[in-house]
């Protein structure tokens, strides 16, 4: 019988799986947490990742994977409850506080995270990071957005193209 | 290279999808950041995902008659008061007739000595570009009964109408050659492309007031209509009706939901129902076609107010005093292709 998805194992011992990052670091984690990833869930349901085998993740480095797993471990209990319809307001507030703090990180880490979330199909993490970046650029002018995201100064060609568009949609900057 | 450049297009799209919906200029400013982002926004796949995440395109503003004392004047009113985009503006000399698929249609008096002839202008609120149409033949004259609509010239079902405002458009005129009183006033008419469909009214027992077409569901062949009527109780109710084609090809009317107006406008003191010979004290004055947003007039004071109501969420918002019909402008505010739009003019006589 496959391990139940609800985290707690049959005799209190949760089923563990091993994930191997691109730089060959091994991470042992509860199957329920790893199963937040749609990609991993299939392998785990097939009985993979247990024992000495481990699941290789050639696209995710150890720094990113450790961050991804931090998210998964925190969100696993709520996910096991099917989106936590019976979660208390306190639980939800705690998850929200965790999420806010979790994405309060360097931009380059955010991008590594969103790519890992995309590869591993962790929808909640992908939209959390996407929302964070969206919040960083909302309400800003095109030049401010370029500066916020570390774009180099526009080439004369790019500048001319921007100017032409601004002329056409001038009201957006009035 | 900027760090964000390492993301592939889908993920940049994921970020842009999550920008706030109440700032219409947001995607427009985004499109100016760089060419790559502009291409991501212009891709129909982005608009499909936008629709999947946010459902319908947002109602950005509305067009209505500008001032009572000036016969030809219209006003563009932004729905979000703080929004600069597109800014509120008066369009003097133009009388609004329709707004659809990112464009608005106006009539205006031809220059002297042809003041009795009406000319037509199509305006893009996003770019402020205007185009005067060639006169249809016969030209609609002042005082004659007619109606007109502007719509995307793309084939039915091939366009989501969220980014086509710079593309070719079609203008359809419908006018009657019968004396005004003898016109087919009892029927709802819809002209699509070159074909005119006449839709019989629903049976009186089902609904007796004026109906507005709200939504057409292409795949199922369903057309959604909405109207406000006084129920026996008496209170004002919003009625949703469907025109449905059954398997044997016969179209019939189906009663949809009925919603009490008071439950949608809990803080508003509704007027008493109007008598049979009086003007209605509450009525639908506009719909954002293709969405579930309707505009309802309620005679609460001397002029009355117009409320915007989203039927799915039940959210309502006062949008200003009543000046007649309103023509909502829905848009994702994504720049269209910059090219001179061709247009087609169709006339339907009946």
């Amino acid at each position: 019988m496959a391990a139940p998805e609800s985290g707690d194992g049959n005799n209190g011992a949760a089923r563990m799986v091993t994930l191997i990052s691109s730089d060959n670091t091994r991470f042992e984690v509860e199957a329920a947490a790893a199963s937040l990833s749609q990609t991993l869930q299939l392998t785990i349901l097939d009985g993979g990742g247990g024992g000495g085998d481990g699941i290789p993740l050639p696209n995710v480095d150890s720094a990113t994977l450790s961050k991804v797993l931090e998210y998964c471990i925190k969100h696993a209990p709520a996910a096991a409850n099917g989106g936590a319809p019976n979660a208390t307001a306190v639980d939800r507030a705690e998850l929200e506080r965790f999420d806010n703090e979790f994405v309060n990180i360097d931009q380059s880490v955010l991008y590594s995270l969103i790519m890992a979330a995309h590869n591993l199909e962790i929808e909640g993490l992908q939209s959390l990071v996407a929302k964070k970046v969206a919040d960083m650029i909302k309400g800003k002018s095109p030049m401010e957005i370029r500066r916020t995201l570390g774009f180099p100064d526009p080439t004369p060609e790019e500048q001319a193209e921007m100017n032409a568009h601004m002329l056409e949609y001038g009201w957006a900057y009035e | 290279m900027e760090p964000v450049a390492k993301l592939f297009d889908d993920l940049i799209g994921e970020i842009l999808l999550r920008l706030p919906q109440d700032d219409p200029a947001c995607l427009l400013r985004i499109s100016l950041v760089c060419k790559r982002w502009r291409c991501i926004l212009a891709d129909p796949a982005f608009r499909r995902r936008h629709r999947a995440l946010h459902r319908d395109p947002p109602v950005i503003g509305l067009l209505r008659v500008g001032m009572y004392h000036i016969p030809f004047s219209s006003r563009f009113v932004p729905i979000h008061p703080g929004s600069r985009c597109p800014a509120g503006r008066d369009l003097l000399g133009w009388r609004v007739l329709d707004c659809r698929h990112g464009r608005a249609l106006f009539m205006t008096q031809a220059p002297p000595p042809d003041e009795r002839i009406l000319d037509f202008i199509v305006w893009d609120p996003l770019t402020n570009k205007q185009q005067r149409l060639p006169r249809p033949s016969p030209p609609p004259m002042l005082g004659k009964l007619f109606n007109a609509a502007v719509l995307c010239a793309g084939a039915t079902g091939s366009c989501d109408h969220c980014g086509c405002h710079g593309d070719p458009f079609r203008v359809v005129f419908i006018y009657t050659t019968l004396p005004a009183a003898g016109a087919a006033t009892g029927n709802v008419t819809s002209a699509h492309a070159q074909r005119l469909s006449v839709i019989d009214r629903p049976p009186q027992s089902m609904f007796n007031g004026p109906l507005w077409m709200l939504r057409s569901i292409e795949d199922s062949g369903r057309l959604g209509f909405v109207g406000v009527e006084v129920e026996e109780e008496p209170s004002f109710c919003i009625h949703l009706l469907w025109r449905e084609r059954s398997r044997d090809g016969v179209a019939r009317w189906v009663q949809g939901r009925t919603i009490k107006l008071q439950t949608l406008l809990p803080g508003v003191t509704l007027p008493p129902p109007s008598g049979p010979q009086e003007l209605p004290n509450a009525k639908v004055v506009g719909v954002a076609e293709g969405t579930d947003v309707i505009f309802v007039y309620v005679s609460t004071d001397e002029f009355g107010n117009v409320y915007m109501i989203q039927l799915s969420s039940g959210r309502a918002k006062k949008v200003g005093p009543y000046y007649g019909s309103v023509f909502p402008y829905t848009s994702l505010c994504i720049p269209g292709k910059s090219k001179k739009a061709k247009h087609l003019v169709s006339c339907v006589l009946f």
Side-chain angles (χ1 to χ4, degrees):
Chain A
M1 191 185 122
E5 277 179 61
S6 55
D8 293 329
N10 284 336
N11 300 313
R15 182 185 162 195
M16 304 299 280
V17 291
T18 306
L19 307 176
I20 308 166
S21 68
S22 61
D23 45 357
N24 270 325
T25 310
R26 298 174 76 87
F27 291 82
E28 211 185 5
V29 61
E30 281 185 20
S35 293
L36 249 64
S37 149
Q38 295 292 310
T39 333
L40 291 177
Q41 193 182 45
L42 292 176
T43 318
I44 292 167
L45 282 176
D46 270 354
D53 292 350
I55 305 169
L57 302 172
N59 295 323
V60 189
D61 63 39
S62 56
T64 310
L65 185 55
S66 118
K67 196 82 183 140
V68 169
L69 292 178
E70 187 189 337
Y71 173 89
C72 290
I73 291 164
K74 189 75 187 177
H75 279 260
N81 283 340
N86 50 1
T88 64
V90 177
D91 289 342
R92 278 198 299 271
E94 162 59 18
L95 264 190
E96 206 177 309
R97 189 201 56 78
F98 168 85
D99 283 353
N100 285 339
E101 227 159 81
F102 181 77
V103 287
N104 209 357
I105 44 174
D106 202 60
Q107 260 185 59
S108 61
V109 186
L110 281 177
Y111 302 139
S112 303
L113 264 182
I114 197 172
M115 283 197 288
H118 183 79
N119 285 330
L120 295 170
E121 294 178 74
I122 309 171
E123 209 185 309
L125 179 58
Q126 181 176 308
S127 57
L128 174 67
V129 178
K131 180 82 178 66
K132 167 72 181 176
V133 183
D135 285 346
M136 282 159 51
I137 57 180
K138 72 177 181 194
K140 291 196 162 92
S141 75
M143 276 313 281
E144 283 167 344
I145 294 171
R146 284 184 70 104
R147 274 195 292 273
T148 306
L149 299 187
F151 278 81
D153 285 341
T155 62
E157 197 188 23
E158 279 179 315
Q159 187 65 58
E161 209 171 328
M162 280 169 82
N163 290 349
H165 268 253
M166 279 177 123
L167 207 63
E168 191 167 8
Y169 299 99
W171 51 260
Y173 314 94
E174 277 160 11
Chain B
M1 195 169 67
E2 63 283 1
V4 72
K6 73 176 175 181
L7 299 185
F8 34 85
D9 290 358
D10 264 8
L11 286 178
I12 294 180
E14 278 298 303
I15 294 168
L16 304 185
L17 281 174
R18 284 172 173 79
L19 287 161
Q21 291 296 292
D22 57 357
D23 180 8
C26 215
L27 290 181
L28 199 52
R29 289 195 301 268
I30 286 295
S31 74
L32 302 188
V33 168
C34 66
K35 197 170 184 171
R36 185 177 168 209
W37 287 25
R38 194 147 57 242
C39 292
I40 292 171
L41 288 182
D43 186 349
F46 177 81
R47 298 201 299 270
R48 273 198 299 276
R49 285 158 71 196
H50 194 283
R51 214 177 169 88
L53 190 68
H54 301 291
R55 282 174 52 98
D56 302 326
V59 180
I60 304 293
L62 60 89
L63 282 148
R64 59 160 170 81
V65 169
M67 282 160 269
Y68 283 130
H69 59 281
I70 304 178
F72 281 83
S73 80
S74 302
R75 184 161 174 73
F76 181 85
V77 185
I79 292 290
H80 306 288
S83 169
R84 299 162 296 179
C85 38
R89 65 172 85 217
D90 281 312
L91 302 145
L92 296 177
W94 299 5
R95 170 73 185 257
V96 61
L97 287 171
D98 189 36
C99 184
R100 198 188 304 263
H101 304 166
R103 312 152 178 96
L105 177 69
F106 300 84
M107 61 178 178
T108 183
Q109 282 175 287
D114 295 328
E115 298 98 324
R116 291 202 54 77
I117 293 178
L118 293 169
D119 278 343
F120 296 88
I121 294 165
V122 170
W123 178 62
D124 180 346
L126 202 57
T127 57
N128 198 22
K129 274 187 189 148
Q130 48 178 281
Q131 216 172 324
R132 196 173 275 257
L133 300 183
R135 265 176 214 162
S137 175
M141 305 290 281
L142 204 59
K144 293 280 186 228
L145 199 65
F146 76 97
N147 209 345
V150 59
L151 55 156
C152 163
T156 314
S158 68
C159 184
D160 60 8
H161 308 307
C162 286
C164 64
H165 58 96
D167 294 353
F169 57 82
R170 182 187 292 277
V171 175
V172 181
F173 292 92
I174 298 183
Y175 39 110
T176 173
T177 51
L178 303 169
T185 47
N187 291 330
V188 181
T189 54
S190 95
H192 202 82
Q194 303 282 4
R195 206 180 66 236
L196 180 75
S197 329
V198 178
I199 303 171
D200 295 331
R201 281 195 53 83
Q204 280 203 2
S205 56
M206 191 182 271
F207 188 79
N208 204 17
L211 279 173
W212 294 71
M213 193 173 105
L214 187 59
R215 202 187 265 280
S216 91
I217 301 177
E218 306 278 352
D219 306 338
S220 63
R222 287 181 106 199
L223 294 175
F225 291 83
V226 68
V228 173
E229 204 177 34
V230 184
E231 292 278 271
E232 285 167 14
E233 292 190 33
S235 64
F236 293 100
C237 284
I238 290 175
H239 291 260
L240 294 167
L241 289 93
W242 292 97
R243 178 79 173 166
E244 213 172 51
R245 197 169 286 282
S246 59
R247 265 194 221 121
D248 51 13
V250 181
R252 63 191 181 105
W253 285 97
V254 181
Q255 183 84 58
R257 271 196 304 156
T258 298
I259 312 162
K260 277 194 176 153
L261 191 56
Q262 190 70 76
T263 61
L264 294 165
L265 305 172
V268 180
T269 311
L270 293 184
S274 32
Q277 300 304 318
E278 293 170 331
L279 292 171
N281 277 339
K283 59 180 177 179
V284 178
V285 290
V287 299
E289 204 185 283
T291 74
D292 62 345
V293 175
I294 66 168
F295 291 79
V296 174
Y297 152 78
V298 179
S299 150
T300 43
D301 50 34
E302 193 186 345
F303 293 109
N305 283 308
V306 175
Y307 295 86
M308 177 170 101
I309 299 171
Q310 186 179 38
L311 293 172
S312 58
S313 67
R315 273 203 300 268
K317 179 186 165 87
K318 186 169 145 182
V319 291
Y322 175 62
Y323 280 88
S325 292
V326 301
F327 301 87
Y329 171 64
T330 56
S331 175
L332 292 186
C333 291
I334 297 177
K337 299 166 205 122
S338 291
K339 63 178 183 210
K340 181 88 174 153
K342 284 190 198 139
H343 52 261
L344 305 148
V345 178
S346 310
C347 294
V348 184
L349 298 165
F350 71 99

